[in-house]
Amino acid sequence: MSFNSIGLSAALLKAISKKGYTEPTPIQVKAIPQILSGRDLLASAQTGTGKTAGFALPILQKLSSESPMQRRRVRSLILTPTRELAAQVTDDFKQYGQFTDLRTTVVFGGVNANPQIRTLKQGVDILVATPGRLLDLHNQKVFSLSHVEVLVLDEADRMLDMGFLRDIEKILAQLPVKRQNLLFSATFSKEIKKLAGKFLKNPVMVKATPENTTAETVDQIVYRTDKSKKTKLVTKLITDGGWEQVLVFTRTKHGANRLSQKLGKAGIHSKAIHGNKSQGARTMALEGFKKGTVRVLVATDIAARGLDIPLLPHVINYELPNIPEDYVHRIGRTGRAGAGGEAISIVSVDEFDYQKGIEKLLGRTLESKVIPGFEVTETLQEVNDKKLANKAQNQRGRRNSRDDGNSSPKNSKNGNRSRRRRR
C-alpha cells in the first residue's frame, strides 16, 4: 500500500515525499483511514512505529479541507506527557503541514510563557501541549478550547504514570461534547481502558505490534557484574567498541548525573537529561547527541520518553527498570525501521529478580555474558548491607547539616551580643 491510496491531499503527499517516505507503516495503514472517517480511536503503538504521522496526517487533512474561520482558533489539541515529546510532535506537524495554510504551536513548562502567550493570541489551528502549562494558560484565558474538533492523548500510559489523570479530566471538562477523540498508548492496561471508557465513543481499536514485544533486529545481551564495577564496565564497552552514539538509562536523576560525570572523567563526552534539568539544557544535550558532539546521553525513563533518534545503534540499561514494560520501551529506541541495534543490560545481584520479570514478560531468556575481570563477586546480603550503610550515612549527614544550620544563627546572635558589650 502507498500513501497515495489512503486518500491524502496533494499538499500532504508532497510533504511526505519531501521527507523521503514512500510506504506507510502498519499503524498508519490502520489508523489514518479510521481517523479520516471520523471514528474515535484507541491505538496501541510504541515510539518508533510512525504513530505521530498516524494521527498528524489525517488531522491536517481534515482541518485543511474545511473552510477556515475568520479568526484562527484551536481546532485540534494534542496532549503529551513530556516537553521533548511535545516538541517532536510539533516539529512533525509543521513538516507534514508545510504546504497547507495551517498553524501549529506548542506550549510546555520549564520555559518563559510570554512567547507562547503571544503566539496563541495571534491564533493557531493545532495546539500541542503538556497538561500543566496548558491548564495554566487556559486559566489565564489566553485562549479557548471551545472549538476543538479533534483531541489526541499521545502516550497516555505515561501520562497516567506521571500522575496527570486529574489534569486530563480538567481539560476534558473544557472541551466541546461533540468532537473526535484519539488515544495512543504503548499498552492497553486496565487504567488505559478505564480512561478510554470515560471519553471515547464507540472507538475502533488498532494495534501496531503485539504488546510488550521487542524488535527481532535488536541483539539483547545481559552482562552480570558487581554494582561497584558497573561504571568501569560501561566505560570499557563504549571505549573498546568505539561506540559513538549510546543512550544509557538509569533509574534516578542523581544516578544519571553521577554516571555522566564519571564518563566525562574517563574521556567520554556525555550529558544527562532528566526532570530537574532546564528545558534549554535538555534541548542542547539532545541536539548535541543527534549531531554527534555528545557521545553518550544518560537519561531517566521519563526524560527519554518521546525521544526521536533515528538509527540509534546502542542502548545500555545501566540499571534495570523495576517495571518490566519499561524495558521494552527503553530498548525500542534501537532497531527501528528494520535496522540492527544492540541493547545491553548491566545487571548486579540485587537486580536478578528484575531480569526474571522482564524475561517472563518477553517469554524468553536473555543471553547472559561475563567479561573477564568483571565477574560477580558480591552476594545479595553484601549489597543490601551496603545500601543500609549508605542510607544511614546519608541520614547522619542530613542531621549534621541541620545541626550546623541551627547552631549558626545562635552563634551569630551571641557574637553580636559580645561585640555590643565590648562597645
Side-chain angles (χ1 to χ4, degrees):
M1 181 178 287
S2 67
F3 282 106
N4 292 318
S5 62
I6 307 180
L8 297 175
S9 66
L12 294 179
L13 292 173
K14 184 179 179 181
I16 292 168
S17 177
K18 188 176 178 181
K19 284 178 70 71
Y21 299 143
T22 56
E23 295 182 0
T25 65
I27 189 62
Q28 292 163 6
V29 170
K30 295 176 182 178
I32 291 175
Q34 298 292 350
I35 298 172
L36 287 175
S37 70
R39 296 289 300 273
D40 279 13
L41 193 75
L42 176 58
S44 172
Q46 298 174 6
T47 300
T49 58
K51 66 180 174 63
T52 303
F55 60 78
L57 290 169
I59 288 174
L60 289 165
Q61 171 92 350
K62 287 166 68 72
L63 298 188
S64 61
S65 63
E66 297 171 0
S67 300
M69 296 181 175
Q70 286 187 336
R71 183 179 182 278
R72 292 181 189 268
R73 301 180 186 275
V74 178
R75 290 189 284 157
S76 182
L77 173 64
I78 296 88
L79 293 177
T80 72
T82 66
R83 313 168 202 173
E84 283 77 16
L85 181 56
Q88 182 61 49
V89 169
T90 303
D91 186 53
D92 285 344
F93 263 95
K94 288 183 176 179
Q95 288 189 48
Y96 288 123
Q98 61 185 292
F99 301 113
T100 71
D101 186 40
L102 298 171
R103 291 182 191 171
T104 302
T105 195
V106 62
V107 298
F108 49 69
V111 295
N112 189 336
N114 289 330
Q116 298 176 358
I117 292 172
R118 285 195 296 270
T119 301
L120 286 168
K121 287 185 174 179
Q122 291 170 2
V124 298
D125 303 286
I126 300 161
L127 177 59
V128 185
T130 52
R133 177 57 63 91
L134 178 79
L135 283 172
D136 180 34
L137 298 183
H138 186 262
N139 290 339
Q140 295 180 45
K141 302 189 184 307
V142 174
F143 63 95
S144 170
L145 293 173
S146 61
H147 291 82
V148 170
E149 300 170 26
V150 186
L151 168 70
V152 181
L153 294 191
D154 192 15
E155 299 203 356
D157 52 332
R158 182 57 64 175
M159 280 199 269
L160 295 186
D161 289 345
M162 294 172 67
F164 284 134
L165 179 58
R166 290 190 65 185
D167 286 348
I168 291 172
E169 290 174 340
K170 290 178 182 177
I171 293 166
L172 291 175
Q174 304 300 321
L175 300 174
V177 174
K178 187 179 179 181
R179 64 176 190 272
Q180 186 177 15
N181 303 290
L182 314 174
L183 187 154
F184 285 77
S185 172
T187 61
F188 285 158
S189 63
K190 291 180 181 178
E191 292 78 13
I192 286 295
K193 290 179 179 178
K194 183 177 179 181
L195 173 62
K198 291 182 178 181
F199 74 101
L200 295 183
K201 300 169 185 175
N202 191 27
V204 176
M205 187 179 294
V206 299
K207 294 183 181 181
T209 57
E211 292 183 58
N212 302 322
T213 59
T214 55
E216 294 297 327
T217 55
V218 177
D219 292 328
Q220 300 175 61
I221 303 170
V222 169
Y223 289 104
R224 288 189 168 185
T225 191
D226 292 340
K227 186 177 288 289
S228 59
K229 299 174 185 173
K230 281 191 173 190
T231 302
K232 287 185 178 179
L233 179 52
V234 168
T235 303
K236 176 180 175 60
L237 290 170
I238 294 172
T239 303
D240 291 358
W243 299 347
E244 294 299 328
Q245 192 180 44
V246 189
L247 178 60
V248 182
F249 284 97
T250 62
R251 278 200 296 268
T252 67
K253 303 169 189 175
H254 177 66
N257 286 336
R258 186 169 53 195
L259 178 58
S260 179
Q261 290 167 0
K262 289 182 178 179
L263 290 173
K265 290 178 181 178
I268 299 173
H269 190 198
S270 69
K271 292 287 185 181
I273 60 168
H274 50 68
N276 285 355
K277 294 283 186 180
S278 69
Q279 183 58 38
R282 291 162 73 168
T283 300
M284 286 181 63
L286 181 57
E287 286 303 311
F289 186 63
K290 287 182 175 181
K291 291 177 181 177
T293 56
V294 174
R295 190 173 179 183
V296 178
L297 193 65
V298 187
T300 56
D301 286 296
I302 290 177
R305 194 72 171 188
L307 293 184
D308 185 15
I309 307 164
L311 302 178
L312 178 65
H314 307 285
V315 169
I316 295 178
N317 294 299
Y318 182 79
E319 296 163 316
L320 284 181
N322 52 9
I323 300 173
E325 288 82 2
D326 284 345
Y327 173 85
V328 177
H329 300 327
R330 287 181 178 187
I331 74 168
R333 287 172 171 78
T334 186
R336 293 184 178 181
E342 191 170 33
I344 290 173
S345 299
I346 312 298
V347 181
S348 53
V349 66
D350 57 321
E351 296 174 305
F352 286 179
D353 285 344
Y354 294 160
Q355 182 181 340
K356 290 178 183 176
I358 291 166
E359 290 174 336
K360 182 178 179 181
L361 179 73
L362 298 178
R364 56 174 288 195
T365 301
L366 298 176
E367 179 185 4
S368 291
K369 294 183 178 181
V370 176
I371 294 179
F374 292 91
E375 297 87 353
V376 176
T377 60
E378 296 174 327
T379 65
L380 183 58
Q381 184 63 49
E382 288 172 340
V383 171
N384 289 335
D385 288 345
K386 285 181 182 178
K387 285 182 180 179
L388 290 173
N390 289 335
K391 185 177 181 180
Q393 185 177 358
N394 290 336
Q395 288 175 340
R396 284 196 298 272
R398 284 194 291 270
R399 282 199 298 269
N400 291 337
S401 178
R402 287 196 296 269
D403 291 342
D404 290 343
N406 290 334
S407 62
S408 297
K410 293 179 182 177
N411 293 338
S412 176
K413 190 175 181 180
N414 291 337
N416 289 337
R417 285 176 183 161
S418 299
R419 284 193 291 274
R420 280 197 295 270
R421 288 194 196 100
R422 283 197 295 271
R423 286 197 194 98

